[in-house]
Amino acid sequence: MSSCATNHVTPEAVYPFDARGVAKRFRHAAIFGALDSLQAGETMRFCNDHDPIPLLHQLHARYGNAVSIQYVQREPGAIVIDFACL
């Protein structure tokens, strides 16, 4: 299981990640890389055009309880999820 990284400069910050601009074949790797760079207390605000249910299962398997997942917006075509490093 991976954990969140340390040594970030701005604790308790929210960092945007718009998956719509990332090529599909690189998307999950980019998301994992972004999450791996978060410090405890930081959040990645993820935006997407569809509900990423398979990704959420992968995140749970990879991070377990080290990352919380909370929907901010859940409408067709407009999904916003906060991934917080605990």
Side-chain angles (χ1 to χ4, degrees):
M1 176 193 316
S2 294
S3 63
C4 299
T6 58
N7 299 327
H8 238 238
V9 179
T10 54
E12 312 239 341
V14 176
Y15 300 97
F17 185 100
D18 192 339
R20 298 170 293 187
V22 179
K24 288 184 182 182
R25 65 187 225 168
F26 301 121
R27 203 171 282 175
H28 286 202
I31 293 164
F32 294 142
L35 287 172
D36 287 344
S37 70
L38 291 179
Q39 181 179 353
E42 294 181 323
T43 298
M44 181 177 83
R45 179 155 291 161
F46 172 85
C47 300
N48 204 11
D49 57 1
H50 66 277
D51 203 349
I53 300 299
L55 171 67
L56 299 181
H57 292 297
Q58 290 177 348
L59 291 176
H60 182 68
R62 181 175 175 133
Y63 298 103
N65 293 328
V67 173
S68 74
I69 299 169
Q70 181 176 353
Y71 281 89
V72 175
Q73 181 176 351
R74 196 175 190 180
E75 299 173 15
I79 303 296
V80 179
I81 304 171
D82 279 353
F83 298 122
C85 184
L86 304 176

